[in-house]
Amino acid sequence: MIKAKNIHKYYGDLHVLKGVDLHIKEGEIISIVGASGAGKTTLLQILGTLDRANQIQESDLIINESNISKLSQKQLSKFRNQQLGFIFQFHQLLPEFTALENVCIPAYIKKTSKSEAEKRAKELLDFLGLSHRYDHKPGELSGGEQQRVAVARALINNPKVIFADEPSGNLDSEAAENLHKLFFKLRDEFGQTFVIVTHNQELADMADRKLVMVDGKIMN
């Protein structure tokens, strides 16, 4: 599903990623842990195509058989919209839109019809226990509910891979535990691959594999 080879990232003179190699199978749940500054979020952003690695000889990134470095910016945007989903620590919901409208946004970008997008969004919100929250705006939802809306938004286009950056970092312990269980339920239900950066050791240890980053490299 994801094959990364010799991934480097420089920000000026700062060498953040120092030749990362990674192979993630379809349907795996992978956690990435490490101290602050180890390069976890930078790696997640590159794997998620939100940032590009430096072009170094013999470096490569292939996701679902697509060579990311060969895609134009327009092709990359389409690929990201259709094949990848994102969940962030701060849910990034648009405050002026309802839960249903927030979930539908990626589907509208994909040019899905309004009726089809809303049907799929309602199915996801129902699955996530939010059938009574369609018309509520983010400010009217609890932190856990907001994060579940963000999960539904990440799933709306049936992506192959979900990237999550500290997804439970902003939640209380009960909501965090519920979110962690949800990831595994989603994998079993929809077959998605999950790549999760987290400081939460319980979530990290639940994953199929835990990768430890130290100073820009994966140690295991």
Side-chain angles (χ1 to χ4, degrees), residues 97-112:
F97 293 126
T98 65
L100 185 65
E101 289 166 339
N102 267 286
V103 174
C104 285
I105 289 170
Y108 293 152
I109 293 170
K110 190 182 174 182
K111 304 284 197 293
T112 304

Side-chain angles (χ1 to χ4, degrees), residues 18-203:
K18 303 173 181 177
V20 173
D21 295 312
L22 190 60
H23 184 196
I24 298 172
K25 298 174 196 165
E26 185 172 1
E28 267 196 302
I29 295 182
I30 300 295
S31 65
I32 302 175
V33 301
S36 295
K40 305 182 302 296
T41 293
T42 300
L43 177 61
L44 193 79
Q45 289 176 338
I46 287 172
L47 295 178
T49 75
L50 297 171
D51 196 359
R52 286 191 186 264
N54 291 100
Q55 290 302 305
I56 306 260
Q57 195 172 10
E58 295 185 357
S59 72
D60 225 354
L61 176 57
I62 296 170
I63 302 175
N64 198 27
E65 300 182 357
S66 292
N67 190 324
I68 299 306
S69 63
K70 299 281 196 295
L71 300 180
S72 68
Q73 203 58 49
K74 187 175 181 181
Q75 290 170 326
L76 192 60
S77 294
K78 183 178 180 182
F79 176 87
R80 189 185 303 122
N81 173 249
Q82 296 184 0
Q83 302 219 29
L84 309 179
F86 299 91
I87 304 166
F88 302 101
Q89 177 176 355
F90 302 100
H91 45 75
Q92 313 286 12
L93 300 178
L94 298 176
E96 66 271 27
F97 293 126
T98 65
L100 185 65
E101 289 166 339
N102 267 286
V103 174
C104 285
I105 289 170
Y108 293 152
I109 293 170
K110 190 182 174 182
K111 304 284 197 293
T112 304
S113 69
K114 187 170 187 287
S115 60
E116 191 178 334
E118 288 190 351
K119 179 173 180 286
R120 172 69 177 151
K122 287 176 179 177
E123 286 171 357
L124 288 167
L125 289 169
D126 291 352
F127 178 79
L128 296 171
L130 293 169
S131 56
H132 59 306
R133 295 299 206 193
Y134 293 165
D135 299 322
H136 289 70
K137 292 182 178 177
E140 301 170 309
L141 304 174
S142 71
E145 287 172 334
Q146 290 176 31
Q147 197 61 302
R148 278 183 280 152
V149 172
V151 170
R153 180 183 59 190
L155 292 168
I156 186 82
N157 286 341
N158 297 313
K160 298 292 185 184
V161 188
I162 303 286
F163 294 98
D165 191 2
E166 296 290 358
S168 57
N170 217 27
L171 302 178
D172 62 46
S173 56
E174 183 181 357
E177 185 180 349
N178 290 337
L179 183 68
H180 300 164
K181 289 176 180 174
L182 175 62
F183 289 153
F184 290 85
K185 185 177 178 182
L186 290 169
R187 189 266 301 273
D188 295 341
E189 189 86 10
F190 301 114
Q192 266 108 359
T193 304
F194 281 80
V195 183
I196 305 168
V197 163
T198 184
H199 281 106
N200 186 300
Q201 285 303 318
E202 285 182 25
L203 173 57

